[in-house]
Amino acid sequence: MDVEKKEADSNSVTAVSLEEDKNAVEPTKSDNDIRVCIIGNVDSGKSTLIGVLTRCVKDNGNGLARKYVFNFPHEQDSGRTSSIAHEIMGFDKDMKQVMPTRANAGKVEQWHHINKSAQKYISFLDLCGHEKYLKTTVFGLSGLMPDYAMIVVGGNMGVSKMTKEHLGITLALDVPFFIVVTKIDIAPPEVLKNTVQTLCRILKGVKKSAEIVKPEDDFAKLISLFKTGAVCPIFSVSNVTQDGITQLKLFLSLLQSRVHVNPIFRSAKDPAEYLIDEVFNVAGVGIVVNGTMLAGEITTNQVLLLGPDNIGEFAPVVIRSIHYKRELVEKAYTGQSVCFAIRYQSTKKDPLRRSNIKRGMLLADKALNPKAAWEFTAEVVILHHATMIQKSYQAVIHCGVIRQTAEVAEMNKDYLKTGDKGTVRFRFLYRPECLHVGTPLLFLEGRTKGLGKIASINYEYKRAKPGVTSEEEANGKERKKTSKKKSM
C-alpha cells in the first residue's frame, strides 16, 4: 500500500497511570496484559530487539539475541522469521522489569519465573518481515488482536516498500502504532537522518505528528499524546550498544490495555465466546486449542459449543484444562489469550481430531445461540487493482483469524477500480463462518488489495456445493436440465 498518498520521570508517569486506572471502566483480569505485535521489513532487527528487551542481553551483531526468540532451526540458519513467535516481558508492582534468571533459559522456565513476580505483562508477537510471508503477518495483525504495533525500521536501510505495506495494513486495521529505528550504531549519519525524515513525512501524510523521543523527554506527556492518536513516537535504539533501550522499556511499561475500547471485546458479564487461532494435538493430552477470549469467563469442566463445521453446525465440548502464560489456571477472562484442552461432551462420538477444528471456529456459550453464514455484505474501498473488480471476482478474505476465498455475489456498482468505494456482497466458497457486524476485513489476490467493514450478515443463503462458484452451480443445474430433456 502506498501510504505516502494517504492522508517525566518514571515516578510522575506511574502516578499519572495509577490515576487513570481509577477511572478505568470495569477492570478485568486482562487489563495487565498488553499485546504488542512487531512488524517491519526483513533484516530490520525485529527478533533481535525482542531478544534484547526480554532477555536483557546485548546483541553481538551476529544473531546472539534473536536465537532466543526464533521457533525453528531454519529461522536461526537464515536469520529470518517465518512463523509467529511469542515472548513476554514482565513488570513488578513498582513497574520495574522482572529480570530473567539467565539469558539462555528455555521459554517454559523463563515464563514461569516471570509469572511469579509480574503484575503487568507485555506480550510480544514477532511477525514476519519478508514479502512471501505477508499472509502470516496479516493474520497476526488482524487475527491476534494486538493492542499496539511496533514498527521496526533499520536505520541503515531506509524506509522500504514492505515497511510502507505493513504501515498501511496497520492503519487499515486501526491499530495504534509507534516506530523504533534500529542499528543506529552502524547507520551512516546521513542515511539515518534521511530515514527519520522520510518517516516524519509519511506520518504527516496520514495526519500524525512525529515525536522524536529523547532521554530527557517527559514520558507522562508523551503517553498522554500517544493515547490521543495524533502523535507517533519514534525511538532510536541500538541492540548492540543498548542506546535508547531504557527509554523504550519505560514507554512499554506505561502502555495500557485497549480491551475496553476495542469493539471486538465484550464484557466479562456477557456469555462466553472464544475465537480459535491455532490447534495442536499434544501427546498424552489430546486436542489443545489456542485463541482469544472475546467475551465472558470460561472455567474448567464448562460445556461450550464448538463450531461451525463445514456445514455450519456446532457440537458440545468440555473444557478439560486451561493454560495462561504457560501456567495451569482455573478460569479464563475476556481479552486473554489462553489455551484449552477440550473433548467432545458425548462419549459415543468418535474422539475429537485435529482435522475437525479450523482457524476461525468458536467456543461459545449456548446462550449466544451462535450461527454461521455463507454470505455477508461489506462497505469496501479498493486500494489497488490493475484493472477492475466485477461480479464473480474472487479474493482471499482476511477477517480476524478467518482466512478463506470468497466470491463477489453482488455489487452496488457495475465495477470497482483503484480508489473506488462500494457495497459488496461476498460469498464464501468452502465453508460458512461466524462473523460479527463491524469487524474490519482485508481482501488480497495477487497485488490486488482492498479493505472494509462488515455491514450485514445473511444467514439465509445455503451453498449446495462447497468449493463451487455460483456460476458453476448455475451451469451445472442447466446442464442437468438439458441432459434430462435429451434423454426424454
Side-chain angles (χ1 to χ4, degrees):
M1 301 177 193
D2 190 3
V3 299
E4 288 186 270
K5 295 179 182 178
K6 293 184 178 182
E7 299 286 330
D9 60 19
S10 60
N11 290 334
S12 63
V13 180
T14 303
V16 172
S17 179
L18 291 173
E19 183 62 31
E20 290 173 347
D21 285 345
K22 292 179 183 178
N23 300 322
V25 180
E26 192 185 351
T28 67
K29 294 286 185 179
S30 57
D31 283 341
N32 66 342
D33 189 5
I34 294 89
R35 288 188 291 272
V36 179
C37 65
I38 317 299
I39 54 178
N41 190 41
V42 64
D43 298 331
S44 59
K46 300 184 296 296
S47 300
T48 300
L49 179 59
I50 295 176
V52 169
L53 290 171
T54 59
R55 301 294 175 141
C56 299
V57 295
K58 287 185 178 182
D59 188 52
N60 62 356
N62 197 32
L64 173 66
R66 71 187 182 201
K67 73 178 183 181
Y68 304 126
V69 179
F70 286 145
N71 290 324
F72 303 107
H74 73 264
E75 294 178 323
Q76 179 63 36
D77 294 339
S78 65
R80 293 179 176 177
T81 302
S82 61
S83 62
I84 300 177
H86 298 256
E87 286 289 341
I88 62 171
M89 184 178 179
F91 295 92
D92 61 21
K93 61 182 180 181
D94 297 320
M95 288 299 106
K96 294 181 180 178
Q97 184 179 2
V98 178
M99 304 299 288
T101 51
R102 51 194 177 91
N104 61 349
K107 286 193 177 183
V108 175
E109 179 186 338
Q110 167 86 342
W111 289 39
H112 181 67
H113 171 71
I114 292 175
N115 289 333
K116 289 180 179 179
S117 306
Q119 298 294 313
K120 182 176 183 178
Y121 298 93
I122 303 294
S123 297
F124 291 112
L125 308 170
D126 186 21
L127 305 185
C128 312
H130 199 283
E131 186 174 6
K132 69 178 180 179
Y133 302 123
L134 180 60
K135 288 183 179 179
T136 302
T137 301
V138 172
F139 168 76
L141 278 167
S142 63
L144 301 185
M145 289 163 271
D147 294 297
Y148 305 95
M150 180 194 298
I151 302 178
V152 180
V153 180
N156 62 335
M157 301 166 62
V159 182
S160 68
K161 172 189 168 185
M162 283 309 297
T163 301
K164 298 175 185 177
E165 185 89 17
H166 290 175
L167 176 56
I169 295 170
T170 304
L171 287 166
L173 296 173
D174 198 24
V175 179
F177 64 92
F178 55 97
I179 297 173
V180 179
V181 179
T182 59
K183 304 184 181 182
I184 61 172
D185 54 313
I186 61 172
E190 193 62 32
V191 175
L192 180 60
K193 180 180 178 181
N194 290 337
T195 299
V196 174
Q197 288 177 344
T198 302
L199 289 170
C200 294
R201 187 170 65 251
I202 292 174
L203 291 172
K204 185 177 180 180
V206 295
K207 298 181 180 180
K208 286 185 179 289
S209 174
E211 183 71 29
I212 310 299
V213 180
K214 302 179 181 65
E216 64 274 12
D217 282 351
D218 182 355
F219 277 77
K221 182 179 180 181
L222 179 62
I223 286 289
S224 298
L225 292 172
F226 178 62
K227 288 176 67 176
T228 66
V231 168
C232 175
I234 299 179
F235 296 85
S236 298
V237 305
S238 168
N239 293 321
V240 175
T241 66
Q242 301 279 287
D243 289 342
I245 295 295
T246 301
Q247 288 74 41
L248 180 57
K249 285 184 177 181
L250 176 57
F251 179 79
L252 290 169
S253 72
L254 299 168
L255 291 177
Q256 295 181 338
S257 171
R258 297 178 61 248
V259 68
H260 296 297
V261 298
N262 191 334
I264 295 174
F265 299 106
R266 300 187 298 284
S267 168
K269 297 178 182 178
D270 289 331
E273 185 176 358
Y274 172 85
L275 185 61
I276 297 172
D277 59 55
E278 198 65 75
V279 188
F280 308 94
N281 191 352
V282 181
V285 177
I287 298 300
V288 174
V289 294
N290 182 73
T292 306
M293 291 285 297
L294 300 182
E297 299 175 354
I298 294 178
T299 58
T300 306
N301 297 322
Q302 186 172 341
V303 178
L304 298 169
L305 296 178
L306 170 67
D309 58 16
N310 288 339
I311 58 174
E313 295 184 349
F314 292 77
V317 296
V318 177
I319 305 298
R320 299 173 59 198
S321 64
I322 306 172
H323 274 76
Y324 173 66
K325 303 294 184 192
R326 300 179 184 263
E327 298 282 353
L328 186 65
V329 296
E330 291 297 320
K331 185 181 287 190
Y333 303 87
T334 181
Q336 289 184 336
S337 179
V338 295
C339 288
F340 296 137
I342 61 175
R343 64 168 175 83
Y344 281 131
Q345 183 185 24
S346 174
T347 56
K348 295 180 180 180
K349 295 190 70 168
D350 292 335
L352 186 60
R353 301 182 185 279
R354 184 175 179 180
S355 58
N356 299 139
I357 306 175
K358 295 179 176 61
R359 286 177 173 177
M361 293 178 72
L362 295 179
L363 287 173
D365 193 292
K366 293 180 182 179
L368 278 176
N369 189 25
K371 296 179 182 179
W374 285 96
E375 282 189 350
F376 65 93
T377 301
E379 303 291 337
V380 304
V381 57
I382 310 304
L383 301 175
H384 175 76
H385 192 280
T387 55
M388 61 182 67
I389 293 175
Q390 296 176 304
K391 186 177 177 180
S392 299
Y393 169 80
Q394 296 181 16
V396 178
I397 301 293
H398 297 259
C399 183
V401 298
I402 295 170
R403 186 168 68 189
Q404 188 186 159
T405 303
E407 64 174 335
V408 174
E410 192 177 335
M411 300 167 55
N412 68 337
K413 298 180 179 180
D414 293 333
Y415 60 85
L416 293 172
K417 58 184 189 304
T418 300
D420 286 352
K421 295 181 179 180
T423 302
V424 179
R425 179 156 56 88
F426 289 100
R427 183 176 294 161
F428 288 119
L429 284 188
Y430 301 106
R431 59 187 176 275
E433 304 280 6
C434 281
L435 303 168
H436 294 285
V437 173
T439 304
L441 62 88
L442 294 167
F443 54 94
L444 307 174
E445 188 270 322
R447 299 199 64 79
T448 299
K449 299 176 183 69
L451 61 93
K453 281 190 176 182
I454 296 177
S456 63
I457 302 168
N458 178 18
Y459 294 104
E460 302 299 323
Y461 175 83
K462 306 293 182 184
R463 184 179 284 281
K465 292 183 178 181
V468 178
T469 65
S470 302
E471 186 177 348
E472 289 171 337
E473 278 185 347
N475 291 339
K477 290 178 182 177
E478 289 175 5
R479 282 196 296 271
K480 285 182 180 180
K481 289 179 181 178
T482 305
S483 62
K484 285 183 180 179
K485 288 181 181 178
K486 287 182 178 178
S487 62
M488 291 173 66

